[in-house]
Amino acid sequence: MKLLRSVLPTLILISSFRITSGQENKDLLEKYGYDSLRKYSYLICGIINDHSANIGTGFFIRSDTNVYLVSAAHVVTGWNAMKEKWDKNYPDRFFIKLPDRATGDDILCAINVKAYKKKMVPFSVWDKPDIFIYKVKNPSSYIINSIENLIVDTVGNYLDEMNRVFGYGFASYAHFSDFHSLLVLSPTLIDAHTVMKYEAMPDVREDNLPDSMHFIIAPVYSWKNNFGKGASGAPVFIYSDKLGRFIFGGVVIAINNKGMFDIVVRFEKFWEFFNANRD
């Protein structure tokens, strides 16, 4: 099986969801159909040595005839926009797992991010979205599920006071038995809810200034915490009761120290950045 291919050029509120004896009402859970979202999350990994890697999550958006890979910028660059410093020993080449259209096999496609890192100007997470965008070369060679059909112009218009949030990310993977074992890693479910009205500005900055860049999600069950570092870059989808379907809500970029909530770049900020930087 061909393994490598170059594919890209060089706080918390408790919600009132119905719960019975620690289990969610089955009918309520089934109405979401969240498993359909799994196909949108893709593994991104940068090899550190024979048995460890930097792991993150990516997803795709089609625009006209182009396809773009999106993730959190810190996943592939090593720039920590929270602490405003570079993480050490970060690889210049990453891989993304994609199904080959000709064979149907999963392959790890190389992403050379060295040139991207050289061009990147250090920034603060409060001033600029922590977002990485890359145009895919020869996207027709791969089976790619993209999220553009789940995008609406104004997310807040379709939401209630509190909303259910789902997604998939490659959380908590750091070690592997061998290089080929990366091909069998599976994403884990992000099962969460918004902790305040979508338009509200969370108070998560150390200087107590309002944060217009992000919104906060918290796990539905604190004892079943499914947030992890590898979830950075994952798309999250908010279930809209008004539309009766999921809509794209934003991109996971950070978790708090205890993993009790995720910070998500809100859709409007993401979309503005995407359209300004996609080419």
Side-chain angles (χ1 to χ4, degrees):
M1 178 180 65
K2 187 174 182 181
L3 184 63
L4 305 181
R5 180 179 296 179
S6 178
V7 61
L8 302 174
T10 302
L11 140 153
I12 301 177
L13 302 179
I14 303 300
S15 71
S16 58
F17 296 117
R18 293 162 58 192
I19 299 173
T20 305
S21 301
Q23 298 294 323
E24 189 162 11
N25 180 281
K26 184 177 180 181
D27 291 337
L28 180 61
L29 192 62
E30 287 182 345
K31 84 169 185 180
Y32 293 111
Y34 58 78
D35 195 55
S36 64
L37 304 173
R38 181 192 299 268
K39 63 187 178 185
Y40 298 118
S41 292
Y42 292 81
L43 171 71
I44 294 178
C45 57
I47 310 303
I48 300 173
N49 55 46
D50 290 342
H51 297 289
S52 63
N54 292 316
I55 300 293
T57 305
F59 63 98
F60 293 94
I61 295 179
R62 295 179 188 272
S63 180
D64 299 322
T65 59
N66 298 315
V67 178
Y68 299 90
L69 169 66
V70 178
S71 186
H74 72 266
V75 166
V76 296
T77 65
W79 172 249
N80 188 325
M82 284 280 188
K83 298 180 179 179
E84 296 186 48
K85 68 177 185 179
W86 292 98
D87 290 335
K88 296 180 180 180
N89 302 319
Y90 234 73
D92 288 329
R93 186 168 64 162
F94 278 72
F95 300 90
I96 182 164
K97 184 173 74 170
L98 287 173
D100 182 272
R101 185 173 294 278
T103 66
D105 293 331
D106 284 338
I107 55 176
L108 291 177
C109 306
I111 309 168
N112 189 340
V113 297
K114 188 173 183 179
Y116 183 92
K117 288 165 65 174
K118 284 185 176 180
K119 293 179 181 179
M120 195 189 78
V121 177
F123 63 96
S124 167
V125 73
W126 312 117
D127 301 326
K128 177 183 174 182
D130 183 22
I131 297 296
F132 169 83
I133 302 169
Y134 239 38
K135 185 189 289 187
V136 179
K137 184 179 180 180
N138 300 322
S140 61
S141 299
Y142 310 98
I143 300 172
I144 295 175
N145 295 301
S146 53
I147 71 161
E148 64 279 354
N149 290 335
L150 299 177
I151 291 175
V152 297
D153 288 336
T154 308
V155 171
N157 289 348
Y158 303 100
L159 301 182
D160 298 318
E161 189 74 18
M162 306 245 327
N163 301 271
R164 196 66 179 269
V165 181
F166 292 102
Y168 282 86
F170 289 84
S172 302
Y173 291 118
H175 301 280
F176 52 91
S177 59
D178 58 66
F179 191 64
H180 289 75
S181 68
L182 290 170
L183 290 170
V184 299
L185 295 183
S186 298
T188 56
L189 175 68
I190 297 171
D191 183 359
H193 58 83
T194 54
V195 300
M196 59 181 64
K197 193 173 181 179
Y198 177 81
E199 297 91 338
M201 297 184 187
D203 183 15
V204 294
R205 299 181 58 165
E206 291 182 357
D207 53 17
N208 293 322
L209 293 174
D211 176 15
S212 62
M213 188 73 68
H214 311 99
F215 70 99
I216 306 300
I217 61 175
V220 171
Y221 304 109
S222 59
W223 51 268
K224 191 182 178 182
N225 190 338
N226 47 11
F227 293 175
K229 291 183 179 180
S232 289
V236 293
F237 304 91
I238 306 173
Y239 189 84
S240 167
D241 282 311
K242 295 179 180 179
L243 294 177
R245 66 178 179 90
F246 286 105
I247 57 177
F248 173 57
V251 184
V252 174
I253 57 104
I255 59 172
N256 78 321
N257 290 335
K258 296 183 179 180
M260 290 307 298
F261 63 83
D262 263 2
I263 299 175
V264 180
V265 176
R266 64 176 66 243
F267 166 75
E268 290 80 8
K269 295 295 185 180
F270 165 80
W271 198 232
E272 179 182 357
F273 182 83
F274 175 83
N275 285 302
N277 295 276
R278 61 185 177 180
D279 294 317

